[in-house]
């Protein structure tokens, strides 16, 4: 019997894996256009010396015909996140990528790959996080409408 993951990282990793598997097995029009950045986990100090950049999105998708580099930051609904980390992630998307945002389900990811700009807006996430007084929030896309 499969045990339910207990940490945010595992739940988000499972969602990310679903998205990547769909892309590779169902979409696959440009296999080198989607890649992961492994900014979390073990050996953070070694990763820092090798170029780790705080806030970089979980997945990057390059669409050569229109939108350019798209940042995809995975979030699992209902999980708690540090506000400072969300600010770092939203700021990176805004500052570096032509477009992109936060994604919290497979359907949203599929629509992004198919050409829709249906991510959760990083500007709204940034504004919300800069105006609250708590150190953590529970991820709920309705907060950023």
């Amino acid at each position: 019997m499969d045990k339910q993951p207990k940490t945010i990282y595992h739940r988000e990793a499972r969602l990310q894996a679903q998205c990547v598997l769909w892309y590779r097995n169902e979409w696959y029009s440009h296999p080198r256009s989607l890649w992961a950045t492994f900014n979390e986990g073990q050996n953070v100090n070694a990763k820092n010396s090798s170029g780790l950049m705080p806030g970089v999105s979980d997945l990057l998708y390059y669409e050569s015909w229109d939108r350019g580099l798209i940042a995809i930051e995975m979030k699992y609904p209902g999980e708690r996140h540090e506000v400072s980390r969300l600010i770092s992630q939203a700021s990176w998307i805004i500052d570096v990528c032509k477009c992109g945002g936060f994604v919290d389900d497979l359907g949203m990811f599929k629509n992004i790959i198919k050409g829709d700009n249906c991510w959760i807006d990083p500007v709204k996430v940034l504004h919300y996080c800069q105006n609250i007084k708590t150190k953590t929030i529970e991820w709920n896309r309705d907060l950023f409408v």
Side-chain angles (χ1 to χ4, degrees), residues 17-34:
Q18 288 175 329
C19 293
V20 171
L21 287 173
W22 171 83
Y23 181 82
R24 289 183 179 163
N25 294 326
E26 303 288 330
W27 190 255
Y28 207 71
S29 61
H30 301 282
R32 292 186 180 188
S33 294
L34 178 71

Side-chain angles (χ1 to χ4, degrees), residues 1-117:
M1 182 175 188
D2 188 31
K3 290 185 178 180
Q4 191 71 349
K6 294 182 180 180
T7 66
I8 293 170
Y9 176 75
H10 289 342
R11 289 181 179 144
E12 286 182 5
R14 182 174 279 177
L15 174 60
Q16 182 172 328
Q18 288 175 329
C19 293
V20 171
L21 287 173
W22 171 83
Y23 181 82
R24 289 183 179 163
N25 294 326
E26 303 288 330
W27 190 255
Y28 207 71
S29 61
H30 301 282
R32 292 186 180 188
S33 294
L34 178 71
W35 65 94
T37 63
F38 293 99
N39 257 3
E40 298 167 342
Q42 299 175 347
N43 302 322
V44 173
N45 289 335
K47 289 179 182 181
N48 278 334
S49 65
S50 298
L52 176 116
M53 178 66 60
V56 174
S57 296
D58 297 314
L59 293 172
L60 296 172
Y61 177 62
Y62 183 72
E63 184 184 88
S64 60
W65 58 90
D66 187 23
R67 298 179 293 175
L69 186 62
I70 300 167
I72 300 171
E73 178 59 44
M74 307 304 293
K75 294 295 170 214
Y76 193 84
E79 296 294 343
R80 295 202 71 76
H81 297 275
E82 292 179 16
V83 170
S84 61
R85 187 175 181 105
L86 291 171
I87 288 171
S88 175
Q89 292 167 335
S91 296
W92 188 87
I93 295 168
I94 294 163
D95 293 343
V96 176
C97 292
K98 186 174 178 183
C99 56
F102 296 83
V103 172
D104 61 12
D105 70 39
L106 177 60
M108 184 184 292
F109 175 82
K110 288 179 181 181
N111 288 335
I112 290 166
I113 299 301
K114 292 176 182 178
D116 293 339
N117 294 344

